[in-house]
Amino acid sequence: MVHRGLAPNLGRNGARHTCPLHVRIRMYNAYVLPLLTYNLAANGLTMAQMKPLDVAHRKHLRIIARIFFPNRLSNKALYALTNTTPISQHAIRYRWAFFGHLLRRPDDNPALQVMISYFTHADTHDPRLGRPMSPLLSPIHIQTSRP
């Protein structure tokens, strides 16, 4: 694990725990979370595809908070204890920020032209045979069409 190499006090040995929870969370957010969330803005992951990342994130948080079997803590209580949010929420925020950056670019930017073409000509594209692709804009389209 990344955090064991960065701070030996974060291991499972009870006698060596001297680092408070808020410091361990700050270290996790500084060193591990960027690795988990790298390039999430540019990936068109669905919520079902994001679930394994959320599971791994909760596992890391339980290790950091020293919650091991037989002790239990619900996911909502874990996020409240560690004052964090699920990675899927990070991905949504990063995705919207990414599109905000694209919209502020000059009109001749190729990425902006592709995005405008996708939204203006979405009904004219021929349906593709086989399994539907999961492009980056699909989750955005789903989120914007919700009531």
Side-chain angles (χ1 to χ4, degrees), residues 2 15-16 31 41 43 54 64 74 81 88 91 93-95 98 101 104 108 115-116 121 125 127 131 136:
V2 174
R16 296 176 59 194
Y31 295 112
N43 289 330
D54 283 336
I64 290 170
S74 70
L81 174 70
S88 56
R93 188 176 73 238
Y94 295 159
R95 194 174 294 143
F98 176 67
H101 292 308
R104 288 188 293 273
D108 60 344
M115 188 172 75
I116 291 171
H121 304 294
H125 294 298
R131 180 178 175 202
L136 173 62

Side-chain angles (χ1 to χ4, degrees), residues 51-123:
K51 187 176 178 182
L53 280 175
D54 283 336
V55 169
H57 183 232
R58 285 192 300 267
K59 181 179 179 182
H60 294 164
L61 291 177
R62 281 189 173 89
I63 291 171
I64 290 170
R66 301 182 197 133
I67 300 169
F68 304 109
F69 184 80
N71 299 330
R72 293 182 178 199
L73 190 63
S74 70
N75 295 338
K76 190 179 285 189
L78 178 67
Y79 287 128
L81 174 70
T82 58
N83 196 21
T84 57
T85 57
I87 286 189
S88 56
Q89 297 298 320
H90 288 274
I92 291 170
R93 188 176 73 238
Y94 295 159
R95 194 174 294 143
W96 282 105
F98 176 67
F99 282 115
H101 292 308
L102 280 181
L103 292 173
R104 288 188 293 273
R105 300 290 298 167
D107 290 339
D108 60 344
N109 185 6
L112 180 62
Q113 291 175 356
V114 168
M115 188 172 75
I116 291 171
S117 172
Y118 176 83
F119 282 111
T120 56
H121 304 294
D123 299 333

